[in-house]
Coordinates of all heavy atoms in Angstrom, one line a residue:
Chain M
H29 N 32.3 -29.7 36.6 CA 31.8 -30.9 37.3 C 31.7 -32.0 36.4 O 31.3 -31.8 35.2 CB 30.5 -30.6 38.0 CG 30.6 -29.7 39.2 ND1 29.5 -29.2 39.8 CD2 31.6 -29.1 39.8 CE1 29.9 -28.4 40.8 NE2 31.2 -28.4 40.8
R30 N 32.0 -33.2 36.9 CA 32.0 -34.4 36.0 C 30.8 -35.3 36.2 O 30.7 -36.4 35.6 CB 33.3 -35.2 36.1 CG 34.5 -34.4 35.8 CD 34.4 -33.5 34.5 NE 34.1 -34.2 33.3 CZ 35.1 -34.7 32.5 NH1 36.3 -34.4 32.7 NH2 34.7 -35.3 31.4
A31 N 29.9 -34.9 37.2 CA 28.7 -35.7 37.4 C 27.5 -34.8 37.3 O 27.5 -33.6 37.8 CB 28.7 -36.3 38.8
M32 N 26.5 -35.2 36.6 CA 25.3 -34.4 36.5 C 24.1 -35.3 36.7 O 24.1 -36.6 36.4 CB 25.2 -33.8 35.1 CG 26.3 -32.8 34.9 SD 26.2 -31.9 33.4 CE 24.9 -30.7 33.7
Y33 N 23.0 -34.7 37.2 CA 21.9 -35.5 37.7 C 20.5 -34.9 37.2 O 20.4 -33.7 37.1 CB 21.8 -35.5 39.3 CG 23.1 -35.8 40.0 CD1 24.2 -34.9 40.0 CD2 23.3 -37.0 40.6 CE1 25.4 -35.2 40.7 CE2 24.5 -37.3 41.3 CZ 25.5 -36.4 41.3 OH 26.7 -36.7 42.0
W34 N 19.6 -35.8 37.0 CA 18.2 -35.3 36.8 C 17.4 -35.9 38.0 O 17.4 -37.1 38.4 CB 17.6 -35.9 35.5 CG 17.9 -35.1 34.3 CD1 18.6 -35.5 33.2 CD2 17.6 -33.7 34.0 NE1 18.7 -34.5 32.3 CE2 18.1 -33.4 32.8 CE3 16.8 -32.7 34.7 CZ2 17.9 -32.1 32.1 CZ3 16.7 -31.5 34.1 CH2 17.2 -31.2 32.8
Y35 N 16.6 -34.9 38.6 CA 15.6 -35.3 39.6 C 14.2 -34.9 39.2 O 14.0 -33.9 38.5 CB 16.0 -34.5 40.9 CG 17.2 -35.0 41.7 CD1 18.4 -34.4 41.4 CD2 17.1 -36.0 42.7 CE1 19.6 -34.8 42.1 CE2 18.2 -36.4 43.4 CZ 19.5 -35.8 43.1 OH 20.6 -36.2 43.8
K36 N 13.2 -35.6 39.8 CA 11.8 -35.2 39.7 C 11.4 -34.8 41.1 O 11.6 -35.6 42.0 CB 11.0 -36.3 39.1 CG 9.5 -36.1 39.1 CD 8.8 -37.4 38.6 CE 7.3 -37.2 38.5 NZ 6.7 -38.4 38.1
Q37 N 10.7 -33.7 41.2 CA 10.2 -33.3 42.5 C 8.8 -32.9 42.5 O 8.4 -32.0 41.8 CB 11.1 -32.1 43.0 CG 10.8 -31.7 44.5 CD 11.7 -30.6 45.0 OE1 12.0 -29.7 44.3 NE2 12.1 -30.7 46.3
K38 N 8.0 -33.7 43.3 CA 6.6 -33.4 43.5 C 6.5 -32.4 44.7 O 7.4 -32.4 45.6 CB 5.8 -34.6 43.7 CG 5.7 -35.5 42.5 CD 4.6 -35.0 41.6 CE 4.1 -36.1 40.7 NZ 3.1 -35.6 39.8
A39 N 5.3 -31.7 44.8 CA 5.1 -30.7 45.8 C 5.4 -31.2 47.2 O 4.9 -32.3 47.6 CB 3.7 -30.1 45.7
K40 N 6.2 -30.5 47.9 CA 6.5 -30.7 49.4 C 7.2 -32.0 49.6 O 7.2 -32.5 50.8 CB 5.2 -30.7 50.2 CG 4.5 -29.3 50.1 CD 3.3 -29.2 51.0 CE 2.6 -27.9 50.9 NZ 1.4 -27.8 51.7
K41 N 7.8 -32.7 48.6 CA 8.5 -33.9 48.8 C 10.0 -33.7 48.4 O 10.3 -32.8 47.5 CB 8.0 -35.0 47.9 CG 6.5 -35.4 48.2 CD 6.5 -36.5 49.3 CE 5.1 -36.9 49.6 NZ 4.5 -37.8 48.6
P42 N 10.9 -34.4 49.0 CA 12.3 -34.3 48.5 C 12.5 -34.7 47.1 O 11.6 -35.4 46.6 CB 13.1 -35.3 49.5 CG 12.1 -35.6 50.6 CD 10.8 -35.4 50.0
P43 N 13.6 -34.3 46.4 CA 13.8 -34.7 45.0 C 13.9 -36.3 44.9 O 14.5 -36.9 45.8 CB 15.1 -34.1 44.7 CG 15.3 -33.0 45.7 CD 14.7 -33.5 47.0
E44 N 13.4 -36.8 43.8 CA 13.5 -38.2 43.5 C 14.5 -38.4 42.3 O 14.3 -37.8 41.3 CB 12.2 -38.8 43.0 CG 11.1 -38.9 44.0 CD 9.8 -39.3 43.3 OE1 9.8 -40.1 42.4 OE2 8.8 -38.7 43.6
L45 N 15.6 -39.1 42.6 CA 16.6 -39.3 41.5 C 16.0 -40.0 40.3 O 15.3 -41.0 40.5 CB 17.8 -40.0 42.1 CG 19.0 -40.2 41.2 CD1 19.6 -38.9 40.9 CD2 20.0 -41.2 41.8
M46 N 16.4 -39.5 39.1 CA 16.0 -40.2 37.9 C 17.2 -40.8 37.2 O 17.3 -42.0 37.0 CB 15.3 -39.2 37.0 CG 14.0 -38.6 37.5 SD 13.4 -37.3 36.4 CE 12.8 -38.3 35.0
F47 N 18.2 -39.9 36.9 CA 19.4 -40.4 36.2 C 20.6 -39.7 36.8 O 20.6 -38.6 37.3 CB 19.3 -40.0 34.7 CG 18.1 -40.5 34.0 CD1 17.0 -39.6 33.7 CD2 18.1 -41.8 33.5 CE1 15.9 -40.1 33.0 CE2 17.0 -42.3 32.8 CZ 15.9 -41.4 32.6
V48 N 21.8 -40.4 36.6 CA 23.1 -39.8 37.0 C 24.0 -40.1 35.8 O 24.1 -41.2 35.3 CB 23.7 -40.5 38.2 CG1 25.0 -39.8 38.6 CG2 22.7 -40.4 39.4
Y49 N 24.7 -39.0 35.4 CA 25.8 -39.2 34.4 C 27.1 -38.9 35.1 O 27.2 -37.9 35.9 CB 25.6 -38.2 33.3 CG 24.7 -38.7 32.2 CD1 23.3 -38.7 32.3 CD2 25.3 -39.3 31.0 CE1 22.5 -39.2 31.2 CE2 24.5 -39.8 30.0 CZ 23.1 -39.7 30.1 OH 22.3 -40.3 29.1
S50 N 28.1 -39.7 34.9 CA 29.4 -39.5 35.4 C 30.4 -39.6 34.2 O 30.4 -40.6 33.5 CB 29.7 -40.6 36.4 OG 31.0 -40.5 37.0
Y51 N 31.2 -38.6 34.1 CA 32.1 -38.5 32.9 C 31.3 -38.8 31.6 O 31.8 -39.5 30.8 CB 33.3 -39.4 33.1 CG 34.2 -39.0 34.2 CD1 34.1 -39.4 35.5 CD2 35.3 -38.2 33.8 CE1 35.0 -38.9 36.5 CE2 36.2 -37.7 34.8 CZ 36.0 -38.1 36.1 OH 36.9 -37.7 37.1
E52 N 30.2 -38.1 31.5 CA 29.3 -38.2 30.3 C 28.8 -39.5 30.0 O 28.2 -39.7 28.9 CB 30.1 -37.6 29.1 CG 30.5 -36.1 29.2 CD 31.9 -35.9 28.9 OE1 32.2 -36.0 27.7 OE2 32.7 -35.5 29.7
K53 N 28.9 -40.5 30.9 CA 28.3 -41.8 30.7 C 27.2 -42.0 31.7 O 27.3 -41.6 32.9 CB 29.4 -42.9 30.8 CG 30.3 -42.9 29.7 CD 31.2 -44.2 29.8 CE 32.1 -44.5 28.6 NZ 32.5 -43.3 27.8
L54 N 26.1 -42.6 31.3 CA 25.0 -42.9 32.2 C 25.5 -43.9 33.2 O 25.9 -45.0 32.9 CB 23.8 -43.5 31.4 CG 22.5 -43.7 32.2 CD1 22.0 -42.4 32.7 CD2 21.5 -44.4 31.3
S55 N 25.4 -43.4 34.5 CA 25.8 -44.2 35.6 C 24.7 -44.9 36.3 O 24.8 -46.0 36.8 CB 26.6 -43.3 36.6 OG 26.9 -44.0 37.8
I56 N 23.6 -44.1 36.5 CA 22.4 -44.7 37.2 C 21.2 -44.3 36.5 O 21.0 -43.1 36.1 CB 22.4 -44.1 38.7 CG1 23.6 -44.6 39.5 CG2 21.1 -44.5 39.3 CD1 23.7 -44.0 40.9
N57 N 20.3 -45.3 36.3 CA 19.0 -45.0 35.8 C 18.0 -45.7 36.8 O 18.0 -46.9 36.9 CB 18.8 -45.7 34.4 CG 17.4 -45.6 33.9 OD1 16.4 -45.3 34.6 ND2 17.3 -45.8 32.6
E58 N 17.3 -44.8 37.5 CA 16.4 -45.3 38.6 C 15.1 -45.9 38.0 O 14.0 -45.5 38.5 CB 16.2 -44.2 39.6 CG 17.3 -43.9 40.5 CD 17.6 -45.0 41.5 OE1 16.7 -45.8 41.9 OE2 18.8 -45.2 41.8
S59 N 15.2 -46.8 37.1 CA 14.0 -47.5 36.5 C 13.0 -46.4 36.0 O 11.8 -46.6 36.3 CB 13.3 -48.4 37.6 OG 14.3 -49.3 38.0
V60 N 13.5 -45.5 35.3 CA 12.6 -44.4 34.8 C 12.0 -44.9 33.5 O 12.7 -45.5 32.7 CB 13.5 -43.1 34.6 CG1 12.6 -42.0 34.0 CG2 14.2 -42.7 35.8
P61 N 10.7 -44.6 33.3 CA 10.0 -45.0 32.1 C 10.7 -44.5 30.8 O 11.3 -43.4 30.9 CB 8.6 -44.4 32.2 CG 8.4 -44.2 33.6 CD 9.8 -43.9 34.2
S62 N 10.6 -45.2 29.7 CA 11.4 -44.8 28.5 C 10.9 -43.5 27.9 O 11.5 -43.0 27.0 CB 11.4 -46.0 27.5 OG 10.0 -46.3 27.2
R63 N 9.7 -43.0 28.3 CA 9.3 -41.8 27.8 C 10.2 -40.6 28.2 O 10.1 -39.5 27.7 CB 7.8 -41.5 28.2 CG 7.5 -41.5 29.6 CD 6.0 -41.4 29.9 NE 5.6 -41.3 31.2 CZ 5.3 -42.3 32.0 NH1 5.4 -43.5 31.5 NH2 5.0 -42.1 33.3
F64 N 11.1 -40.9 29.2 CA 12.1 -39.9 29.6 C 13.4 -40.4 29.0 O 13.8 -41.5 29.4 CB 12.2 -39.8 31.1 CG 11.0 -39.2 31.7 CD1 10.0 -40.0 32.2 CD2 10.9 -37.8 31.9 CE1 8.8 -39.5 32.8 CE2 9.7 -37.3 32.5 CZ 8.7 -38.1 33.0
S65 N 14.1 -39.6 28.3 CA 15.3 -40.1 27.7 C 16.4 -39.1 27.9 O 16.4 -37.9 27.4 CB 15.1 -40.3 26.1 OG 16.3 -40.6 25.5
P66 N 17.4 -39.4 28.7 CA 18.5 -38.4 29.0 C 19.6 -38.5 27.9 O 19.8 -39.4 27.2 CB 19.1 -38.9 30.3 CG 18.9 -40.4 30.3 CD 17.6 -40.6 29.5
E67 N 20.3 -37.3 27.9 CA 21.4 -37.3 26.9 C 22.5 -36.3 27.5 O 22.1 -35.3 28.1 CB 20.9 -36.7 25.6 CG 22.0 -36.6 24.5 CD 21.6 -35.6 23.4 OE1 20.6 -34.9 23.6 OE2 22.3 -35.6 22.4
C68 N 23.7 -36.7 27.4 CA 24.8 -35.8 27.9 C 25.8 -35.6 26.8 O 26.8 -36.3 26.6 CB 25.5 -36.5 29.1 SG 26.7 -35.5 29.9
P69 N 25.6 -34.6 25.9 CA 26.4 -34.3 24.7 C 27.8 -34.0 25.1 O 28.7 -34.3 24.3 CB 25.7 -33.2 24.0 CG 24.4 -33.0 24.7 CD 24.5 -33.6 26.1
N70 N 28.0 -33.3 26.2 CA 29.4 -33.0 26.6 C 29.4 -32.8 28.1 O 28.4 -32.8 28.8 CB 29.9 -31.7 25.9 CG 29.1 -30.5 26.1 OD1 28.9 -30.1 27.2 ND2 28.6 -29.9 25.0
S71 N 30.6 -32.5 28.7 CA 30.7 -32.4 30.1 C 29.9 -31.3 30.8 O 29.7 -31.3 32.0 CB 32.2 -32.4 30.5 OG 32.8 -31.2 30.0
S72 N 29.5 -30.3 30.0 CA 28.8 -29.1 30.6 C 27.3 -29.2 30.4 O 26.6 -28.4 31.0 CB 29.3 -27.8 29.9 OG 30.7 -27.7 30.1
L73 N 26.8 -30.1 29.6 CA 25.4 -30.1 29.1 C 24.7 -31.4 29.4 O 25.3 -32.5 29.2 CB 25.4 -29.8 27.6 CG 24.2 -29.3 26.9 CD1 23.6 -28.1 27.6 CD2 24.5 -29.0 25.5
L74 N 23.5 -31.3 29.9 CA 22.7 -32.4 30.1 C 21.3 -32.1 29.6 O 20.7 -31.1 30.0 CB 22.6 -32.8 31.6 CG 21.9 -34.0 32.1 CD1 22.6 -35.3 31.6 CD2 21.8 -34.1 33.6
N75 N 20.7 -33.0 28.8 CA 19.4 -32.8 28.3 C 18.5 -33.9 28.8 O 18.9 -35.0 29.2 CB 19.4 -32.9 26.8 CG 20.2 -31.8 26.1 OD1 20.2 -30.7 26.6 ND2 20.9 -32.1 25.1
L76 N 17.2 -33.6 28.9 CA 16.2 -34.7 29.1 C 15.1 -34.5 28.1 O 14.4 -33.5 28.0 CB 15.6 -34.5 30.5 CG 14.6 -35.6 31.0 CD1 15.3 -36.9 31.2 CD2 14.0 -35.2 32.4
H77 N 15.0 -35.6 27.2 CA 14.1 -35.6 26.1 C 12.8 -36.2 26.6 O 12.8 -37.3 27.2 CB 14.6 -36.3 24.9 CG 15.9 -35.7 24.4 ND1 16.0 -34.4 24.0 CD2 17.2 -36.3 24.4 CE1 17.3 -34.2 23.6 NE2 18.0 -35.3 23.9
L78 N 11.7 -35.6 26.3 CA 10.4 -36.0 26.8 C 9.5 -36.4 25.6 O 9.4 -35.6 24.6 CB 9.7 -34.9 27.6 CG 10.6 -34.1 28.6 CD1 9.9 -32.9 29.1 CD2 11.0 -35.1 29.7
H79 N 8.8 -37.5 25.7 CA 7.9 -37.9 24.6 C 6.7 -38.8 25.2 O 7.0 -39.7 26.0 CB 8.7 -38.7 23.6 CG 7.8 -39.3 22.5 ND1 6.9 -38.6 21.8 CD2 7.7 -40.6 22.1 CE1 6.3 -39.4 20.9 NE2 6.7 -40.6 21.1
A80 N 5.5 -38.4 24.8 CA 4.3 -39.2 25.2 C 4.2 -39.2 26.7 O 4.0 -40.3 27.3 CB 4.4 -40.6 24.6
L81 N 4.3 -38.1 27.3 CA 4.2 -38.0 28.8 C 2.8 -38.2 29.2 O 1.8 -38.0 28.5 CB 4.8 -36.7 29.3 CG 6.3 -36.6 29.2 CD1 6.8 -35.4 30.0 CD2 7.1 -37.8 29.5
Q82 N 2.6 -38.5 30.5 CA 1.3 -38.6 31.1 C 1.1 -37.4 32.1 O 2.1 -36.8 32.6 CB 1.3 -39.9 31.9 CG 1.6 -41.2 31.1 CD 0.5 -41.4 30.0 OE1 -0.7 -41.3 30.3 NE2 1.0 -41.6 28.8
P83 N -0.2 -37.1 32.4 CA -0.4 -36.0 33.3 C 0.3 -36.2 34.7 O 0.7 -35.2 35.3 CB -1.9 -36.0 33.5 CG -2.4 -36.6 32.2 CD -1.4 -37.6 31.8
E84 N 0.5 -37.4 35.1 CA 1.1 -37.6 36.4 C 2.6 -37.3 36.4 O 3.3 -37.3 37.4 CB 0.9 -39.1 36.9 CG 1.4 -40.1 36.0 CD 0.3 -40.7 35.1 OE1 -0.6 -40.0 34.8 OE2 0.5 -41.9 34.7
D85 N 3.2 -37.1 35.2 CA 4.6 -36.7 35.0 C 4.8 -35.2 35.3 O 5.9 -34.7 35.4 CB 5.1 -37.0 33.6 CG 5.1 -38.5 33.3 OD1 5.4 -39.3 34.3 OD2 4.8 -38.8 32.2
S86 N 3.7 -34.5 35.5 CA 3.8 -33.0 35.8 C 4.5 -32.9 37.2 O 4.1 -33.6 38.2 CB 2.4 -32.4 36.0 OG 1.7 -32.5 34.7
A87 N 5.5 -32.1 37.2 CA 6.4 -32.0 38.4 C 7.4 -30.9 38.1 O 7.5 -30.3 37.0 CB 7.1 -33.3 38.7
L88 N 8.2 -30.6 39.1 CA 9.4 -29.8 39.0 C 10.6 -30.7 38.6 O 10.8 -31.7 39.4 CB 9.7 -29.0 40.2 CG 10.9 -28.1 40.2 CD1 10.6 -26.9 39.3 CD2 11.2 -27.6 41.6
Y89 N 11.3 -30.5 37.5 CA 12.4 -31.3 37.2 C 13.7 -30.5 37.5 O 13.9 -29.4 36.9 CB 12.3 -31.7 35.7 CG 11.2 -32.7 35.5 CD1 9.9 -32.4 35.4 CD2 11.5 -34.1 35.6 CE1 8.9 -33.3 35.3 CE2 10.6 -35.1 35.5 CZ 9.2 -34.7 35.3 OH 8.2 -35.6 35.3
L90 N 14.5 -31.1 38.4 CA 15.7 -30.4 38.8 C 16.9 -31.1 38.2 O 17.0 -32.3 38.2 CB 15.8 -30.5 40.3 CG 14.8 -29.7 41.2 CD1 14.9 -30.1 42.6 CD2 15.1 -28.2 41.0

Side-chain angles (χ1 to χ4, degrees):
Chain M
H29 289 175
R30 303 315 300 266
M32 294 185 78
Y33 310 77
W34 279 116
Y35 287 90
K36 176 182 177 181
Q37 188 174 36
K38 290 281 204 180
K40 299 183 183 178
K41 296 272 179 78
E44 294 171 38
L45 183 67
M46 299 174 73
F47 303 104
V48 182
Y49 272 82
S50 179
Y51 287 90
E52 296 134 68
K53 288 189 168 31
L54 185 63
S55 171
I56 295 174
N57 175 343
E58 286 289 332
S59 304
V60 179
S62 58
R63 57 186 185 267
F64 295 91
S65 174
E67 180 198 17
C68 189
N70 60 58
S71 59
S72 299
L73 196 54
L74 185 67
N75 297 322
L76 186 64
H77 303 298
L78 314 171
H79 174 53
L81 294 194
Q82 305 295 311
E84 59 264 28
D85 296 322
S86 299
L88 181 69
Y89 288 84
L90 289 168

